[in-house]
Amino acid sequence: MRRVRMGLLAALCVLPLSGPPAVAQPPQGPVFQDGEAQPVFDPAQAVREDLFVTAPVDSDRDGQDDRVHVQVVRPKETDQGLRVPVVYQASPYFSGGNDVPNHNVDTELYVPEAPGNRSLRTSAADERMAVAADIKWDYEEYLLSRGFAVVYAESLGTGESTGCPTTGAENETIGAKSVVDWLNSRAPGHSADGAPAAAGWATGKVGMMGVSYNGTLPNAVASTGVDGLEAIVPIGAISNWYDYYRSDGAVVAPGGYQGEDADVLAEYVHTRADREPCRAVLDQLRADQDRITGDYSPFWDERNYLNDVGNVRAAVLSVHGLNDWNVKTRQAAQWYEALRERDVPHKIWWHQSGHTDPIRLRKEEWLRELNRWFTRYLYQVPNGVEGEPRATVQREDGSWVQEPEWPSPQAEDVVLRPAPGGPERGGLTAEKKSDRAVESLRDDATRTAEDLAAAPGSPNRLAYFGEPLAEQVRVSGTVRADLALAFDRPAANVTALLVDQAPDGSVSVVTRGWADPQNRQKIDMTSPIKPGQTYQIEVAMQPDDYVFAPGHRIGVVVLSSDHDFTLRPKPGAGLALDLSRTSITLPVVGSVR
C-alpha cells in the first residue's frame, strides 16, 4: 500500500501547476493471441474470499435453506473494476472423507420370493474412489494468469456446507447450481459474519470443470439449463449413476472398489461437522438404492442426467480414459451421443489411461485445448474451435489422432457367430447360423475374468476366437453380445468379454459387460428365470476404441460372475449357451474376414 501512495505522490510532483487532473489508468485487461488467452496477470496477487451461497433447497430438513461454502480466487485487477469470467469446480472431496466399510459381495444372488436373501456389510474399510482434493487446484495459476477467476464450492453435506450428501440426487445439483446463480446475481451470498457478498467482479459467464465426482457435478448442473453456464469440461464423469453401480439389472462395482454403492459414497463424503441432521436421509438412501434386485427405479431415475440432456446449452468438452474401469466409458459415450444428437457444441478426448486428469498425460497440448475452449465460450473470442475435429483419440502406441467425430463415422457393424469348441477353444466367424450346438460352463466367482480369458481350457468359461487378422481392425463404439442362455438355477450373473489374442498366445481383455437375466425384458422389472429354459440375453459391453493388430485374433469369452465387478455367489451355477442363436455385433473399421 505504501508503494502505491508513493507512486501517486511522485506522479503528482511532475504535473504542471495548471491543466486537467490526472486520470486513473484502467486495469490490465485480458490479452488473446492465436485464439488463446495469454498469461498477463500475476496469480501471486490474486484476491481470495471465503463466503456462503444460499441454495433453494432444505435437504437436511432443518427448516432453513442449505448453504454452500465457496472460495473465490480472482485477479487483483477485479478490485479495480475489471470483470472476468469464472472457471468453477464443485466437489464433495475438499474436506477429505470418512472411513466407511463396503458391502459384502460374497453373497448369493436374489431369487424372487426367496426369504432371507440380503446383502451384508463388511467390517473392513476400503479406500474411496477418489483422493480428497486439495483446494489448491492444478489449474488455478494457469487460469488466473490468463484472466479467469477460479471458484471452489463444497458440495452439500461436506465441509462447511450444510445440507446432506445424496450421491447425485437433485439437491446436490441445486446446491452446485446456486453458485452459478450467485455469480449472475440471482442467489444471495454472505460472508461468515453475515455481511452480504456479491459477485460484482464477474461477467456472469461460467465454465465448470473437474474429475470424477467433480466432473459429474458439471453434467448435473448443465442438465438444468441454468443461464450463465457457458461451458463444461467433465473429466472421467458420470452421466447416469445407475450405470455406475448397476448394469442391466446386475449389481456391479466401480473398478477397484468391490462392494461400494451409493450409500457408501454418501457416507464417505459426509464431512459436515454436525452429521446427525442427515442420518434419516442417508438411511433412506441405503434402503432405496436396492442392492437386492438391482432394478432401475425412481431412486436411480433422479440420478440420471440423461433425462434432462435436452436442457443442456453449455458447450461440452468431454474427457475420458479408454481404460477407466472406475467411471466406465459408457458414462462418457452415452452423454456425448445425446449431446451430439441435439447439436450441442461438443468435443471428446479419449486417452489410453484410466481414471485420471489429462494434465498428467499430455500437459501442453491439453492446456492449449482447454484454453481455446474457455477462451471461445467464456470470453467469446471467435477462435474457430467449433469447426475443428470433434474427437481426439490416443492410440495404443501413445500417438494421438484427430477425427471428425466419434465413434468413427467409418465404423460398420459386423456380426460374428461362435463355432463349437468353447470349453477349450471355439471358433468365431462371420458365417451364417450353424446347426444347433449347446455348450456349457459352470460359475466360479473365485477366479478373475482375466485368468479365465487366458486359460487354455476351463469349465468356468466358454471362449471363441477368429482367425489371425490379415490387416489391422479397429473397434469403435459398443460391442453387443446376443446370448442364447439356459440356467440350471433361478439366478445367475452373465458376463461377456471382448479379448485380444496375440500371436504368442497371450490374451488380454479389451472390454466387457454384465447383465442380470432376470432383467432381460426391462431394467426396471425383475422377471423370474425358469431353470432349463433358454432366454435371449443381450450384454452391451463398455464402449471402446481399440485397434487389433495384424496377426492377432478377435475373441469373445462368456462367463457368469466377474470376480472384480459383480456379486460373487458360491461356485456351481450352470449356464448353457446355444451357439445357433448367439451372435456378437462389433462396430469395426476394417475387415475381420
Side-chain angles (χ1 to χ4, degrees), residues 451-579:
D451 286 346
L452 290 172
S458 170
N460 308 125
R461 59 76 173 139
L462 298 171
Y464 304 93
F465 292 89
E467 294 299 315
L469 296 169
E471 59 183 53
Q472 76 172 26
V473 171
R474 175 185 174 190
V475 172
S476 182
T478 301
V479 176
R480 300 182 184 277
D482 188 9
L483 309 174
L485 285 167
F487 308 88
D488 67 1
R489 298 183 184 181
N493 291 310
V494 176
T495 301
L497 316 174
L498 180 71
V499 301
D500 181 347
Q501 185 178 52
D504 64 3
S506 61
V507 175
S508 58
V509 177
V510 175
T511 185
R512 70 225 293 172
W514 315 269
D516 180 352
Q518 294 179 5
N519 290 87
R520 62 196 178 277
Q521 296 175 345
K522 297 176 65 178
I523 61 171
D524 62 352
M525 180 181 70
T526 292
S527 300
I529 291 291
K530 182 179 179 180
Q533 183 172 330
T534 300
Y535 300 93
Q536 292 296 137
I537 311 297
E538 183 180 277
V539 181
M541 301 187 199
Q542 293 298 316
D544 210 334
D545 203 292
Y546 183 86
V547 174
F548 289 85
H552 286 229
R553 298 173 187 263
I554 296 174
V556 173
V557 177
V558 179
L559 53 147
S560 184
S561 299
D562 188 339
H563 178 275
D564 293 326
F565 290 95
T566 67
L567 298 179
R568 302 191 293 228
K570 292 179 181 178
L575 282 66
L577 181 69
D578 183 347
L579 274 56

Side-chain angles (χ1 to χ4, degrees), residues 46-80:
V47 177
R48 293 180 180 269
E49 301 171 292
D50 266 14
L51 54 97
F52 295 88
V53 170
T54 301
V57 63
D58 179 15
S59 60
D60 54 14
R61 307 169 187 173
D62 65 353
Q64 300 180 28
D65 283 346
D66 296 341
R67 65 179 194 174
V68 180
H69 179 224
V70 174
Q71 183 179 95
V72 172
V73 190
R74 52 186 172 85
K76 68 178 179 62
E77 288 80 2
T78 55
D79 276 346
Q80 303 163 25

Side-chain angles (χ1 to χ4, degrees), residues 287-556:
D288 291 346
Q289 70 187 359
D290 180 17
R291 284 183 65 84
I292 307 305
T293 71
D295 291 354
Y296 191 78
S297 65
F299 173 88
W300 295 110
D301 198 56
E302 181 182 355
R303 293 160 171 81
N304 184 356
Y305 310 127
L306 293 165
N307 290 336
D308 298 313
V309 71
N311 297 329
V312 176
R313 293 181 290 173
V316 182
L317 173 56
S318 180
V319 182
H320 216 95
L322 290 165
N323 293 294
D324 189 346
W325 289 100
N326 179 342
V327 177
K328 304 172 189 69
T329 54
R330 180 176 298 164
Q331 299 288 350
Q334 63 192 2
W335 186 244
Y336 186 76
E337 178 183 10
L339 296 168
R340 188 181 67 232
E341 290 177 349
R342 290 162 176 80
D343 205 27
V344 175
H346 59 276
K347 183 165 185 176
I348 193 163
W349 264 56
W350 288 109
H351 58 78
Q352 286 291 329
S353 293
H355 196 57
T356 192
D357 191 321
I359 198 172
R360 294 172 175 80
L361 305 173
R362 198 187 183 200
K363 184 174 181 178
E364 291 185 7
E365 293 88 343
W366 165 243
L367 288 176
R368 181 173 183 270
E369 181 82 67
L370 183 70
N371 187 335
R372 288 171 59 76
W373 199 258
F374 283 148
T375 294
R376 170 66 181 86
Y377 293 107
L378 300 189
Y379 267 116
Q380 295 184 307
V381 173
N383 57 16
V385 294
E386 64 271 32
E388 295 174 354
R390 300 288 178 85
T392 298
V393 182
Q394 186 183 25
R395 293 268 51 100
E396 290 74 9
D397 63 2
S399 63
W400 296 80
V401 296
Q402 302 285 332
E403 302 206 335
E405 193 51 277
W406 194 89
S408 171
Q410 298 176 332
E412 296 182 354
D413 284 348
V414 171
V415 178
L416 302 179
R417 301 184 187 279
E424 296 293 330
R425 179 193 180 83
L428 192 63
T429 71
E431 302 294 330
K432 295 181 179 180
K433 291 183 180 180
S434 60
D435 294 335
R436 187 171 188 269
V438 176
E439 298 187 330
S440 300
L441 66 93
R442 199 154 292 279
D443 187 24
D444 186 353
T446 66
R447 302 189 64 185
T448 68
E450 287 75 11
D451 286 346
L452 290 172
S458 170
N460 308 125
R461 59 76 173 139
L462 298 171
Y464 304 93
F465 292 89
E467 294 299 315
L469 296 169
E471 59 183 53
Q472 76 172 26
V473 171
R474 175 185 174 190
V475 172
S476 182
T478 301
V479 176
R480 300 182 184 277
D482 188 9
L483 309 174
L485 285 167
F487 308 88
D488 67 1
R489 298 183 184 181
N493 291 310
V494 176
T495 301
L497 316 174
L498 180 71
V499 301
D500 181 347
Q501 185 178 52
D504 64 3
S506 61
V507 175
S508 58
V509 177
V510 175
T511 185
R512 70 225 293 172
W514 315 269
D516 180 352
Q518 294 179 5
N519 290 87
R520 62 196 178 277
Q521 296 175 345
K522 297 176 65 178
I523 61 171
D524 62 352
M525 180 181 70
T526 292
S527 300
I529 291 291
K530 182 179 179 180
Q533 183 172 330
T534 300
Y535 300 93
Q536 292 296 137
I537 311 297
E538 183 180 277
V539 181
M541 301 187 199
Q542 293 298 316
D544 210 334
D545 203 292
Y546 183 86
V547 174
F548 289 85
H552 286 229
R553 298 173 187 263
I554 296 174
V556 173

Side-chain angles (χ1 to χ4, degrees), residues 6-22:
M6 288 178 65
L8 290 173
L9 202 56
L12 288 171
C13 290
V14 298
L15 287 176
L17 294 177
S18 62

Side-chain angles (χ1 to χ4, degrees), residues 116-133:
N117 194 344
R118 289 293 183 268
S119 173
L120 304 176
R121 303 289 294 279
T122 60
S123 58
D126 194 5
E127 294 182 0
R128 271 294 320 125
M129 75 177 223
V131 178

